[in-house]
Amino acid sequence: MIEMLVIAALIGLAAGAAVAIATLTLGFLVDWFRDRAAQVKNDPDKVAVTVAEAIDSGEVSFIQGIFDTEDGKFSDVRRIKAENADGDVHRAHARHKVAIWE
């Protein structure tokens, strides 16, 4: 259910600026979420998510954000294009496009 809501929200998400980095690491994702922890802690309708999105060129983009399950929108979001994501990030998305981080 949440995966469908997040994907639907992504469809409506305007293309934002991409963050270019050499290697997308789990630590990089966690640090960003840690800076926004109060949003999730103070509102039970908000969850921290990443969404793997394959683009036509074969590159992978990751959408990282705080998703509000009540209104089906992101309250804070960024798109990260990475040539190389580390194994931890790949494993987080191995079975599902959406990973929920707690």
Side-chain angles (χ1 to χ4, degrees):
M1 174 72 170
I2 192 161
E3 183 172 320
M4 291 173 36
L5 288 172
V6 172
I7 292 171
L10 284 174
I11 292 169
L13 181 66
V19 177
I21 56 174
T23 301
L24 177 60
T25 65
L26 187 58
F28 184 77
L29 296 176
V30 169
D31 287 344
W32 190 87
F33 283 132
R34 191 172 290 134
D35 291 341
R36 290 151 182 83
Q39 291 182 51
V40 176
K41 183 178 179 183
N42 297 330
D43 187 342
D45 292 327
K46 292 186 179 179
V47 292
V49 300
T50 53
V51 181
E53 175 184 58
I55 55 178
D56 292 337
S57 67
E59 293 181 32
V60 174
S61 279
F62 291 92
I63 309 300
Q64 179 179 19
I66 306 300
F67 185 73
D68 189 324
T69 60
E70 180 70 21
D71 67 12
K73 297 179 183 177
F74 284 96
S75 61
D76 202 349
V77 67
R78 69 178 177 175
R79 176 185 304 267
I80 305 162
K81 290 188 178 183
E83 292 178 359
N84 298 309
D86 73 5
D88 291 329
V89 176
H90 281 288
R91 281 188 288 282
H93 291 279
R95 294 186 182 197
H96 302 286
K97 281 179 75 167
V98 177
I100 300 173
W101 304 86
E102 297 183 28

